[in-house]
Amino acid sequence: MSRARRGLLLVGLASGLVGVLLVASPGVARGVSLTGAARTAPVAVVGVAAAALAARSLLNALSGDAASDSGGKAATADAFPSPERRPQYDPSGAEFARRVNAIEWTDRRDAEPANRRELRDDLRGAATSVLSRGDGPSPSEVETRLRDGSWTDDPLASAFFAGDLVPSLSPSGYARALVRGEPPFARRARRAAAALSKRSGAGDVTPAPSADVRAAFGDEPAVRTSRYLPDGEESLERESATDRVHGVTAAALAVGGLGIVTLRPGLLLLALFGITVSGYARAVPTPSQAVAVERAVSDAEPAVGDEVEVTLSVRNVGDATLADLRLVDGVPPGLAVVDGSPKFATALRPGKRASVTYTVEAVRGDHAFDPALVVTRDALGVRKRETLVDTETTVSCRPPAKPLSGRAPARTTTRAGRSRSDAPGPGVEFHSVREYRPGDPPSRIDWRRKAKTGEFSTVAFHEHRRQRVLVVVDARTEAYVAWGGGGDSDSDGDGDGNGEPVVQQGVAAADALASRFRSAGVPVGLAALSPRSCRLPPGRGGDHHRRLREALVANPAFGWEPPDGEVDASAAVHEIHRRVRADTRVVFVSPLSDDASVTAARRFDAHGHPVSVLSPDPTARTHARGYESGYASLARERRLRRLRAAGIPASDWDPTEPLREVTRGGQSRATTSR
Amino acid sequence: MVKAVPRRPDSAPPLRSSGGALAAATGAAVITAVSVPALAMGALGVLSLAGALTFGVESAYAPGIALLAGSVVLAGVLGLTPPFLLAAAFLVLLAWDVGKHGFSIAREVGREPSTFRIEAVHGLSSTLVYAAGATLGYGIYAGVTGGRSVVALLALLVGSVALLFALQARK
């Protein structure tokens, strides 16, 4: 307490005592009688002073709030942990929906509304590729159709390409748009995207955003307990006092001041509430955090899909009763709570114990529990202490190895080996016949043809080469797209955020691919295209294979939480390229949710690696599709086509189907595209 | 998962807290209804609180409490006797505290776990603390009305204001 405040406290106490004394024995003050200004002035001065103090107190409280908000952790400071949900994964197309939502009324005032122009250019690209696909009009013809609007019967969709970036509307149309609250340009963009997806043959695509996207934009993100307190490991504890006390004090001062000025004793008395509350807040100690937390799981190594019961018990090991104890268990990001709640609240006398049980569903991965967050408050709730109590528990869920049957894909390295490749060269199996070139070995010249026609020709065979394979999983933030429809398969249908990232499908595919290459005797390695690095150079043997599968389960790069931070795809590819031999074949598993994934695949190609892309489709399970999901599918199709045009075999995989079928299909497509 | 019918938003405080806060607020509005403006303010305040509690809008709670506090002040200015004024203020404070506590429960614990114990402990404690304030006020009122010494009043004034300011718990 500062000296000034201590002085004030003394004055207050002394004056209060004198007052009480005078009230108790009125005779003491009988000699002193005040009249006139001396009687009213002090009253007025104290009243005004009280009002001024109230204002100051209020200002202090407000600026205190502002300071705590700007403390750098604003995003996490307010959001209380909600670990029962999985992290919110963006549904596919969320990026596009964000761009459409970013179109504002005020854009129209800019000389060059850049975001509108970019949006239209992107949609125009999609339109060109969709319209020139089936009946195949030339790009200039498509351009004409876009301009005269004959490509669709939706007037709003056609107006998107035909009209201006800042649509000119009739006054009534403008008024209607104002009532709707959405800029006409954004509305047209949605309609155009929906019309295009309909044209491309996608089923029900509504021009409205899907429920998944609305939920993703509306819901608060799930916060892990370990991220709740600022600075992570540094501070496992935080004390704070609520502003409620300041509010009550300020109000009491103001009311007291008003009472003094208006000479209403009743109002003045109300100031006493302020004294009571402030005094209580001063006197009450910060509640103790002397609790012991224990966690038990019914099964530490469950199979995928098993339900695991978690029991969290807390005991008051201090000497004081905890009037208000709230507990939030640190459920790992991958485990979704299916029954019960990992939060609970109780009052605990010393030595007593309370516990809570909830059920989580096991999914692939090593899931280490975050520390449990214990919040204790005094009885009135003016002071609270938040503590992270670490009790280490890990649930580790490993799916059994399921090698895919079937022939390993025949794309190989340039070195001689045991595998039959698609490259023509020396060998035993017939591949093709071509014109003779000087230098071809005489043994491969087709002498019979020479005798018949007089021309030299060379027979090529399937060359036998050795394979090395690196499976690269795209696990960038952009690849953590929700594997569609996780929300509406729930019983209550409100999409409570237990979606699954499509990265997990990619990880499962990588696991299956690695097992298959292994059974074919091909050295296989693993890498993640992610800010969290994971690299395992190709190798062979049981130990190596076990390490690889372990990495797929336990490495944070393949975790359930999207990584923090960005990664430059080209640089990451270069980094991976430097660590493997240049002739290693790369199988790139990516949902192709953005253009950088295409860049990554092409960079592998540019570095000389034979590349193939396996792309799990994030919209495979989506039923109710909004315009954004339709656009995302269009964009993804274009990316697949771009890859194939660049000579990179790319297979589109619906993760609800077994992988085997697709890689076979991909294989045949790969051979035809070469 | 069985949910309460009719369904309330997740940000709405538990029913017990909401009910308690609303009852206290209604009581305060009834006590302060000495004139039409005060009654109007009180009724508006109660309505605003009811809306905030039902739909789980925490930002609408403080304005409702402010309206109720305004009706208390108005009643005081219009000359409501101190015992009633103290009772009304006591109820407003209780509504404020219980409601805010309910919102914090909704935010931090959610609906599923039972929160009866902490609600009960908190409700009782705040009733006690605020009742202590009201009793203190009533005691002084009863004492001063006998004596009517201006100096005593002044001394109490200076004392209360200085104490209020000095005691503010500020970290």
Side-chain angles (χ1 to χ4, degrees):
Chain A
M1 201 185 290
S2 70
R3 271 180 71 174
R5 187 159 289 178
R6 188 169 299 157
L8 207 57
L9 188 66
L10 284 178
V11 170
L13 280 176
S15 182
L17 276 178
V18 170
V20 171
L21 188 71
L22 292 180
V23 168
S25 55
V28 180
R30 195 146 295 155
V32 193
S33 78
L34 300 172
T35 50
R39 189 184 162 101
T40 52
V43 178
V45 166
V46 174
V48 170
L53 286 180
R56 208 190 116 176
S57 172
L58 206 63
L59 280 180
N60 269 347
L62 288 179
S63 64
D65 280 356
S68 67
D69 278 354
S70 61
K73 296 275 176 184
T76 57
D78 288 341
F80 197 75
S82 50
E84 68 271 24
R85 290 182 292 153
R86 290 236 179 91
Q88 181 73 257
Y89 307 111
D90 269 353
S92 77
E95 188 52 43
F96 183 68
R98 245 176 235 128
R99 285 174 63 189
V100 170
N101 289 350
I103 301 286
E104 288 177 20
W105 292 92
T106 47
D107 292 351
R108 64 210 315 280
R109 297 196 197 115
D110 298 351
E112 184 77 347
N115 49 0
R116 293 190 179 206
R117 177 177 301 283
E118 279 162 22
L119 191 71
R120 182 149 84 174
D121 287 349
D122 284 359
L123 265 173
R124 193 191 298 275
T128 314
S129 86
V130 167
L131 298 180
S132 61
R133 193 192 305 162
D135 43 355
S138 67
S140 66
E141 228 170 296
V142 168
E143 190 56 35
T144 322
R145 285 194 192 184
L146 287 180
R147 214 173 304 131
D148 63 22
S150 61
W151 61 279
T152 174
D153 42 16
D154 182 346
L156 282 170
S158 68
F160 178 74
F161 294 113
D164 291 329
L165 286 179
V166 179
S168 45
L169 297 177
S170 66
S172 66
Y174 195 72
R176 274 200 299 276
L178 273 177
V179 169
R180 229 178 275 119
E182 187 185 21
F185 186 78
R187 182 158 177 248
R188 290 178 178 181
R190 289 194 288 110
R191 299 292 280 253
L196 278 175
S197 341
K198 246 177 233 157
R199 264 305 280 264
S200 77
D204 296 334
V205 178
T206 58
S210 67
D212 289 344
V213 161
R214 282 200 302 269
F217 288 176
D219 285 359
E220 288 188 3
V223 179
R224 294 172 63 171
T225 52
S226 57
R227 304 274 171 84
Y228 176 56
L229 294 184
D231 301 327
E233 292 95 285
E234 302 287 318
S235 60
L236 291 171
E237 199 179 308
R238 180 168 71 182
E239 291 175 23
S240 53
T242 50
D243 294 334
R244 257 187 287 168
V245 176
H246 300 300
V248 171
T249 316
L253 274 167
V255 172
L258 189 69
I260 296 168
V261 173
T262 58
L263 294 175
R264 292 288 177 193
L267 286 180
L268 173 62
L269 287 176
L270 296 188
L272 285 167
F273 281 112
I275 297 186
T276 322
V277 174
S278 291
Y280 172 85
R282 261 232 112 68
V284 74
T286 306
S288 91
Q289 88 293 15
V291 290
V293 176
E294 280 167 29
R295 189 189 294 117
V297 291
S298 63
D299 185 1
E301 289 180 357
V304 175
D306 279 4
E307 297 204 332
V308 181
E309 247 180 34
V310 185
T311 306
L312 190 73
S313 66
V314 55
R315 199 159 62 87
N316 183 353
V317 293
D319 329 317
T321 299
L322 296 169
D324 188 333
L325 170 77
R326 302 176 192 185
L327 196 72
V328 183
D329 197 8
V331 186
L335 297 180
V337 176
V338 290
D339 192 23
S341 167
K343 300 178 170 182
F344 91 124
T346 189
L348 267 192
R349 286 203 300 278
K352 295 283 178 190
R353 175 192 292 276
S355 68
V356 63
T357 302
Y358 60 94
T359 312
V360 294
E361 191 186 339
V363 288
R364 158 200 285 273
D366 269 1
H367 307 281
F369 276 77
D370 282 342
L373 175 69
V374 177
V375 184
T376 49
R377 284 182 169 81
D378 62 282
L380 220 57
V382 295
R383 277 167 187 261
K384 74 173 172 183
R385 186 199 288 269
E386 293 160 309
T387 322
L388 285 178
V389 184
D390 218 346
T391 48
E392 278 176 19
T393 314
T394 302
V395 170
S396 135
C397 172
R398 280 132 214 266
K402 270 189 291 187
L404 293 172
S405 58
R407 179 169 72 89
R411 307 197 70 227
T412 50
T413 65
T414 54
R415 308 201 176 207
R418 294 192 305 157
S419 305
R420 172 185 168 280
S421 78
D422 284 333
V428 287
E429 212 176 319
F430 177 78
H431 181 274
S432 56
V433 180
R434 61 167 167 79
E435 243 174 58
Y436 172 77
R437 283 182 222 137
D440 280 346
S443 64
R444 281 173 53 198
I445 294 173
D446 189 351
W447 293 106
R448 250 181 250 170
R449 181 183 281 237
K450 160 76 180 130
K452 213 186 272 175
T453 64
E455 279 169 17
F456 282 105
S457 54
T458 306
V459 179
F461 301 94
H462 279 286
E463 210 172 322
H464 276 219
R465 290 183 179 174
R466 194 170 69 180
Q467 294 198 95
R468 297 168 73 81
V469 176
L470 183 71
V471 178
V472 181
V473 179
D474 183 2
R476 296 166 303 132
T477 318
E478 291 83 359
Y480 275 80
V481 180
W483 183 29
D488 52 26
S489 64
D490 276 345
S491 53
D492 50 356
D494 60 358
D496 46 12
N498 288 338
E500 220 176 294
V502 80
V503 168
Q504 287 301 322
Q505 304 302 319
V507 169
D511 190 4
L513 284 172
S515 299
R516 180 160 66 164
F517 283 120
R518 184 196 174 221
S519 62
V522 176
V524 54
L526 176 73
L529 195 67
S530 159
R532 305 182 278 215
S533 98
C534 165
R535 290 191 209 98
L536 203 62
R540 230 196 293 234
D543 272 354
H544 176 79
H545 189 62
R546 226 165 290 129
R547 259 206 307 280
L548 191 149
R549 297 201 70 222
E550 176 70 24
L552 279 172
V553 172
N555 195 296
F558 305 113
W560 285 77
E561 200 180 31
D564 292 330
E566 301 282 304
V567 60
D568 176 16
S570 303
V573 166
H574 187 68
E575 197 60 27
I576 294 171
H577 160 71
R578 275 181 37 205
R579 298 189 186 223
V580 292
R581 296 218 316 240
D583 55 1
T584 306
R585 176 190 166 196
V586 170
V587 179
F588 185 46
V589 182
S590 163
L592 296 178
S593 49
D594 65 340
D595 288 337
S597 50
V598 175
T599 312
R602 300 197 59 174
R603 296 296 295 183
F604 277 121
D605 196 35
H607 282 303
H609 300 278
V611 189
S612 54
V613 175
L614 175 68
S615 176
D617 181 2
T619 58
R621 272 205 307 194
T622 314
H623 305 303
R625 305 189 64 175
Y627 73 96
E628 80 297 328
S629 143
Y631 177 80
S633 294
L634 286 183
R636 189 167 158 276
E637 268 169 46
R638 283 180 75 202
R639 288 183 199 117
L640 282 167
R641 231 170 304 127
R642 262 168 61 201
L643 282 173
R644 287 171 194 155
I648 298 170
S651 344
D652 188 0
W653 171 43
D654 171 354
T656 53
E657 285 174 12
L659 184 60
R660 196 188 321 142
E661 309 298 324
V662 184
T663 43
R664 273 204 194 133
Q667 180 57 29
S668 63
R669 213 170 330 179
T671 38
T672 49
S673 74
R674 278 276 174 175
Chain B
M1 208 185 296
V2 181
K3 294 228 161 99
V5 186
R7 212 183 142 181
R8 300 166 72 225
D10 290 340
S11 54
L15 273 177
R16 274 181 296 264
S17 286
S18 304
L22 261 189
T26 314
V30 168
I31 294 176
T32 55
V34 288
S35 75
V36 175
L39 173 67
M41 268 175 105
L44 263 182
V46 171
L47 275 182
S48 159
L49 291 195
L53 290 168
T54 315
F55 301 109
V57 191
E58 193 170 356
S59 54
Y61 201 74
I65 289 291
L67 277 173
L68 278 172
S71 83
V72 172
V73 171
L74 195 59
V77 171
L78 292 176
L80 186 66
T81 51
F84 285 107
L85 211 53
L86 282 170
F90 163 75
L91 287 175
V92 171
L93 272 176
L94 203 61
W96 165 247
D97 212 28
V98 170
K100 278 300 218 186
H101 189 249
F103 276 112
S104 91
I105 289 179
R107 197 171 51 238
E108 297 183 359
V109 186
R111 181 154 316 228
E112 233 167 293
S114 156
T115 50
F116 174 69
R117 283 170 76 103
I118 58 172
E119 282 179 81
V121 169
H122 176 264
L124 273 178
S125 328
S126 34
T127 310
L128 272 181
V129 171
Y130 296 136
T135 317
L136 189 64
Y138 184 73
I140 291 178
Y141 164 75
V144 171
T145 41
R148 290 205 179 278
S149 156
V150 180
V151 183
L153 188 64
L154 256 185
L156 277 176
L157 278 183
V158 173
S160 58
V161 170
L163 273 182
L164 252 181
F165 202 69
L167 278 179
Q168 265 192 69
R170 197 144 187 101
K171 287 258 157 194

